[in-house]
Amino acid sequence: MSITAINVRNQFRGKVKEIIEGPVVSEIDVETPAGLIVTSVITTRSVKELQLVPGKEVIALVKSTEVSIATL
């Protein structure tokens, strides 16, 4: 399956900045060229299968059923 076949409109190219690995799930920080940090929580098994390491180029695919906004 190609990335274009996935129904996700919000795609951010970037590089893995940091991985906080847990026994079951891990936190992945992806830094975009603009300096935006996108954080994902995925299974640690997926981290290994995708061979994620800091510096690796990736695409963060963001799909959400709800986005909340509050004023400051």
Side-chain angles (χ1 to χ4, degrees):
M1 175 186 327
S2 70
I3 291 175
T4 56
I6 297 173
N7 184 22
V8 178
R9 293 183 183 207
N10 299 312
Q11 300 180 14
F12 301 93
R13 291 186 176 271
K15 290 185 181 181
V16 175
K17 181 174 182 172
E18 183 179 11
I19 299 173
I20 301 172
E21 194 170 306
V24 178
V25 295
S26 296
E27 205 173 301
I28 313 299
D29 286 344
V30 176
E31 184 172 15
T32 69
L36 174 71
I37 302 292
V38 178
T39 303
S40 177
V41 176
I42 64 174
T43 64
T44 300
R45 180 179 185 177
S46 291
V47 172
K48 295 179 188 325
E49 288 176 358
L50 293 168
Q51 300 176 353
L52 297 179
V53 294
K56 182 167 185 162
E57 291 191 20
V58 295
I59 297 177
L61 305 168
V62 180
K63 187 169 185 173
S64 176
T65 57
E66 179 181 339
V67 176
S68 299
I69 297 178
T71 59
L72 298 175

